[in-house]
Amino acid sequence: MRPERGPGAGRWRGTGWPQRFSGFLFDSLQGRFVLAMLGGLALVQLLINLLWYSQIEQRTKRQTEQAAHHVASGALGALRALRELPAAYRPLLIEQLRTMGGTRFLVFFNQAEVAIRPLPEQALARLLEARVREELESRLAAGTALRVTLASPLGLQVGPGGALLADLPDSWVDPSLLAPERPAPFLVIQVETEPGQWLYLSSALPDPYFLEQLEFFSWQRLTPQLLTLGLALLLTLIAARALTRPLAGLSRAAARVGRKAAPAPLRVSGTSEVRRAIQAFNEMQERIRRYLSDRERLFASISHDLRTPITRLRLRSELLDDPALQDAFHEDLDELDMMVKTALQIVKDTDIHENRVPVRIDLVLQKMVRDARMAGQRIELQDRPLTVFGKPLALKRAIGNLLDNAIFYGASAGTPEPSGHHAELLMSEGEAGSPDEGQVLLTVRDHGPGVPEAALAELGQPYTRLAHGARLREEGLGLGLSIVRDIVADHGGSLRFRNHPQGGFEVCLALPAPGP
């Protein structure tokens, strides 16, 4: 017997890796466990990062406002000192300050405003410019032309003629602030002191790299967190695999139940919940084993007890003088003996040991109808010389179940039948070009009340009984049509149910004809 795979086996086989990965994440216990752990950890890290970023942003804003006040105060002091000097002495003072070094500002007097390109849009840069501008405007005369710009020192002009900050002597500005790989932004303040004369002040901030504090989500910060997530993923996979390994063994053992006579008990391992499940499964498996063993012994005993009267009847039939009657008795006893063996084999869950041979199905039906008529049953047969390839006893059992149902429900209809019989049995061949081509069709019709249309799809399922049948025959189990369906499927045929247009219920059994 070919074993079937367990539940879920090979579910993602033959699909692409995205489907397999998605199935692992969302359909397996390991994947869901990993997804929950990593999702929770990633969410916690994200919330912590956002909280940390919010705190850094608030602190940086406070530092920016303090730096704006500090720079604005220094610029106002320098502006006031230069304004108090006569115009002829201002260049001398500026030159002396440059020569001595140590000034916080680079100061120039220009004939016009210098075009400065501000840093790209950044909220902190604009905040700094706005605070410096507000403080300067509050101290300067109304209407004074004022420009405040935070700019990169790379390519920064200090005069309208195109002189660059980078061209100035090293003593005027710290060269490290002009490094291309990490330039510190400069705040440029331009004030029109007199018509046609602009004071140009340029200075680095107290914390030249204050804008970098908000470059929070950088690789330097994210790499440790990604490494943490990777380590958590590895540990979670190991833990999930250890937790689900006993469940995988339990699943495989459950798939083997019924296919192995005495499967070994599972080793109890895993968490307390898994151990309890395994113990319960082992106990259930032992109960099933005892039940099957008891059932097999019971049917073996019944089979043994039935063979004794069958043997006695066979011996007594030898005393009959009529050879035809003696052959009929022998045929019925052989059939009864085969039924006993078949019942025992079914209980042992093995296939029926009956060879497939060409069967003249019309001769089988003629004998069945003849026996039924001898028992007082009314069946009309329209037979043709047709042959099928199958198991004679199994086919006889299937057709017998259909005839028993047709006779019983036809007789129970409670209305006179226009045709004068309770059941009809029709034989035919599938027409060429139709789905039934190459098959032998056996149709059994009764003249009973029929079956509700909504219930037709349920017919053939084990233990399925309709209200009409349960009312007429309380002792039934609802297995007759299920047995017929299994036998027909084993022969590669099909079974169809319908209500006849002229009343009654009809079953069509299609069986493959022997090959040429």
Side-chain angles (χ1 to χ4, degrees):
M1 183 179 297
R2 182 180 178 182
E4 296 179 356
R5 293 177 179 173
R11 183 177 302 168
W12 305 312
R13 184 173 300 172
T15 60
W17 71 265
Q19 290 80 5
R20 293 196 297 270
F21 180 72
S22 175
F24 169 77
L25 276 185
F26 300 104
D27 196 41
S28 69
L29 182 59
Q30 290 187 40
R32 292 184 180 183
F33 185 73
V34 170
L35 197 62
M37 291 293 293
L38 290 187
L41 183 58
L43 181 60
V44 169
Q45 286 191 346
L46 178 61
L47 293 176
I48 292 175
N49 286 335
L50 292 177
L51 180 61
W52 192 4
Y53 180 81
S54 177
Q55 293 176 349
I56 291 177
E57 186 180 30
Q58 295 299 324
R59 184 184 65 189
T60 306
K61 284 183 178 180
R62 290 193 299 268
Q63 293 175 351
T64 301
E65 293 180 351
Q66 293 173 1
H69 174 73
H70 185 71
V71 172
S73 299
L76 284 170
L79 179 59
R80 189 180 301 112
L82 289 172
R83 274 183 170 180
E84 291 176 356
L85 285 176
Y89 290 96
R90 292 172 185 172
L92 295 176
L93 177 60
I94 294 173
E95 184 66 26
Q96 187 178 7
L97 291 174
R98 293 171 181 170
T99 304
M100 293 174 61
T103 181
R104 293 182 55 252
F105 291 97
L106 295 175
V107 184
F108 302 90
F109 275 100
N110 298 314
Q111 301 298 320
E113 177 188 355
V114 179
I116 304 297
R117 185 172 60 184
L119 286 177
E121 186 65 30
Q122 293 192 33
L124 275 182
R126 305 292 86 80
L127 175 64
L128 176 67
E129 295 169 352
R131 292 290 184 268
V132 172
R133 187 182 302 107
E134 290 172 4
E135 192 154 346
L136 291 176
E137 288 176 346
S138 66
R139 304 288 184 90
L140 296 174
T144 301
L146 174 65
R147 305 289 185 270
V148 180
T149 309
L150 188 66
S152 171
L154 302 179
L156 178 62
Q157 296 183 13
V158 295
L164 300 180
L165 180 66
D167 298 334
L168 300 177
D170 292 346
S171 60
W172 291 15
V173 61
D174 187 354
S176 65
L177 299 177
L178 306 178
E181 63 275 3
R182 195 185 181 197
F186 274 63
L187 183 66
V188 179
I189 302 173
Q190 299 184 77
V191 182
E192 188 178 22
T193 57
E194 289 91 11
Q197 189 174 33
W198 286 76
L199 176 64
Y200 180 105
L201 296 95
S202 176
S203 173
L205 299 174
D207 180 6
Y209 303 103
F210 76 104
L211 291 176
E212 293 182 358
Q213 298 183 51
L214 292 184
E215 294 179 1
F216 186 79
F217 297 101
S218 61
W219 282 111
Q220 291 78 5
R221 296 180 184 270
L222 292 179
T223 298
Q225 299 183 23
L226 293 177
L227 290 177
T228 302
L229 284 177
L231 180 60
L233 173 62
L234 178 62
L235 295 178
T236 303
L237 282 174
I238 294 174
R241 189 172 183 83
L243 289 174
T244 56
R245 185 181 296 112
L247 294 178
L250 181 62
S251 176
R252 290 191 296 269
R256 288 195 299 267
V257 170
R259 297 201 305 264
K260 193 173 182 180
L266 287 177
R267 184 173 65 89
V268 179
S269 62
T271 62
S272 59
E273 295 85 359
V274 176
R275 290 198 303 272
R276 286 196 295 269
I278 294 176
Q279 289 172 352
F281 177 81
N282 286 337
E283 294 173 0
M284 178 197 70
Q285 187 172 249
E286 178 61 22
R287 289 195 299 270
I288 292 175
R289 187 193 64 78
R290 290 198 303 266
Y291 167 74
L292 293 177
S293 178
D294 293 343
R295 188 184 69 164
E296 185 175 341
R297 286 197 299 270
L298 173 63
F299 273 82
S301 176
I302 294 174
S303 175
H304 178 271
D305 293 342
L306 286 176
R307 285 175 180 173
T308 300
I310 291 174
T311 302
R312 288 200 303 267
L313 288 174
R314 192 183 301 276
L315 293 174
R316 290 174 182 175
S317 67
E318 297 293 339
L319 302 177
L320 296 175
D321 296 331
D322 188 349
L325 184 60
Q326 189 181 72
D327 291 340
F329 266 97
H330 285 175
E331 186 176 350
D332 289 340
L333 291 172
D334 290 341
E335 183 176 335
L336 181 60
D337 187 55
M338 178 62 74
M339 287 182 178
V340 172
K341 293 179 181 179
T342 300
L344 184 60
Q345 289 162 356
I346 292 174
V347 170
K348 290 182 177 181
D349 197 21
T350 59
D351 193 13
I352 299 176
H353 293 289
E354 187 180 7
N355 296 326
R356 297 177 186 267
V357 295
V359 180
R360 278 288 301 275
I361 195 68
D362 58 311
L363 299 181
V364 174
L365 295 181
Q366 290 174 7
K367 182 179 183 306
M368 294 178 68
V369 171
R370 184 170 61 251
D371 293 342
R373 288 172 178 172
M374 290 177 60
Q377 298 168 350
R378 287 179 289 175
I379 300 177
E380 180 178 317
L381 171 64
Q382 299 180 15
D383 60 335
R384 298 174 57 183
L386 298 175
T387 303
V388 298
F389 190 77
K391 301 176 181 180
L393 182 60
L395 291 175
K396 188 174 181 180
R397 184 183 184 191
I399 299 171
N401 283 346
L402 295 179
L403 287 176
D404 288 343
N405 285 347
I407 292 170
F408 178 79
Y409 293 112
S412 305
T415 57
E417 303 172 35
S419 57
H421 51 76
H422 293 287
E424 298 177 6
L425 183 54
L426 174 65
M427 298 179 59
S428 62
E429 290 183 285
E431 297 180 359
S434 69
D436 297 325
E437 182 180 2
Q439 293 184 319
V440 174
L441 306 180
L442 306 179
T443 303
V444 179
R445 178 196 170 190
D446 63 44
H447 291 269
V451 173
E453 293 293 333
L456 288 176
E458 302 177 12
L459 295 178
Q461 301 298 324
Y463 305 104
T464 298
R465 302 196 69 200
L466 304 182
H468 173 68
R471 185 171 59 253
L472 294 177
R473 183 185 291 175
E474 296 181 357
E475 70 277 6
L477 295 177
L479 291 175
L481 290 180
S482 172
I483 293 172
V484 175
R485 184 198 62 182
D486 292 341
I487 293 175
V488 173
D490 181 59
H491 283 76
S494 62
L495 196 65
R496 296 189 292 269
F497 307 102
R498 71 161 187 161
N499 288 310
H500 197 275
Q502 298 178 1
F505 181 64
E506 184 178 87
V507 181
C508 181
L509 187 154
L511 296 171

